[in-house]
Amino acid sequence: MALGLATTDATTITVHNTCGYTVCAKYWVPSNGVGGGCSELASGQTWTVGASPSWVSGTMWAIANTGCSGQACNTGPPSGVSQFEITVDGSSNLDYYDISVLAGFNIPLKVVPSNSGCVTVDCTANSASACPNGYYTGYTVDKTQTCGYGTNYDLY
């Protein structure tokens, strides 16, 4: 599953639904009035979203086996979902990103930066072995990754 954003002068996040079912992919950015959005993705579909430097503490997630019909798209994440979190062009012209399953786990997430020098984060369950570079229950070290501003991200 992946979520994506696109603009001509911004970072893009592309969400890929690799699940065998429809998901409701959502994002929420509480900073600077950005708000949120959602897209219903059938298996194999993608959604691209543009993320500008106004994205501070943005969160993306998907609700499995459901469409977006009847769901509010402009709200924060519910409990129990795997989350991709990102701040675009933060301190020192870096993007700060992670995957968190601290609030719960519903589907595996994997983020692949377009810059091969940046860390790919893959969380297949809420455990240290299944989420080695992400936030999971019982984590003990900072799992936030950095990558240069202008990097694009694929979310699966």
Side-chain angles (χ1 to χ4, degrees), residues 8 11 32 34 44 53 63 83 90 102 147:
T8 58
T11 295
N32 301 318
V34 174
I63 300 172
Q83 298 176 50
L102 291 174
C147 200

XYZ file of all heavy atoms in Angstrom, residues 8 11 32 34 44 53 63 83 90 102 147:
75
model
N 4.621 20.689 -8.715
C 5.809 20.974 -9.502
C 6.982 21.430 -8.647
O 8.122 21.279 -9.053
C 5.500 22.062 -10.555
O 5.030 23.223 -9.870
C 4.470 21.571 -11.543
N 7.872 18.000 -2.818
C 8.139 16.585 -2.657
C 6.889 15.820 -3.067
O 5.778 16.279 -2.839
C 8.464 16.316 -1.173
O 9.678 16.985 -0.856
C 8.577 14.847 -0.870
N -0.091 24.567 9.605
C -0.228 25.606 8.575
C -1.475 25.490 7.715
O -1.456 25.845 6.543
C 1.018 25.614 7.677
C 2.277 25.876 8.466
O 2.300 26.733 9.345
N 3.322 25.128 8.190
N -2.885 23.033 6.243
C -2.859 22.119 5.105
C -4.079 21.209 5.114
O -4.718 21.011 4.091
C -1.560 21.269 5.092
C -1.608 20.224 3.986
C -0.344 22.174 4.911
N -3.694 -2.456 -6.740
C -2.848 -2.078 -7.870
C -2.876 -0.603 -8.236
O -2.054 -0.154 -9.024
N 6.997 22.436 1.840
C 7.602 22.674 3.155
C 6.609 23.054 4.252
O 6.974 23.100 5.410
C 8.595 23.804 2.891
C 8.982 23.605 1.467
C 7.696 23.179 0.792
N -6.973 2.456 5.539
C -7.906 1.569 6.218
C -8.222 0.456 5.229
O -8.701 0.709 4.124
C -9.166 2.317 6.668
C -8.767 3.443 7.638
C -10.162 1.366 7.322
C -9.877 4.376 8.018
N 1.192 4.000 10.453
C 1.289 5.372 9.953
C 2.663 5.697 9.375
O 3.689 5.357 9.966
C 1.009 6.361 11.085
C -0.364 6.242 11.671
C -0.560 7.162 12.855
O -0.262 8.345 12.775
N -1.044 6.620 13.957
N 12.425 20.298 6.820
C 12.565 20.751 8.200
C 13.927 21.379 8.410
O 14.517 21.965 7.500
N 3.070 2.498 16.718
C 2.842 2.710 18.151
C 1.353 2.817 18.490
O 0.924 2.378 19.545
C 3.559 3.971 18.626
C 5.084 3.898 18.647
C 5.677 5.245 18.993
C 5.552 2.835 19.629
N 16.388 12.705 5.125
C 16.775 12.647 3.717
C 16.699 14.078 3.190
O 15.896 14.883 3.673
C 15.811 11.738 2.965
S 16.459 11.117 1.400
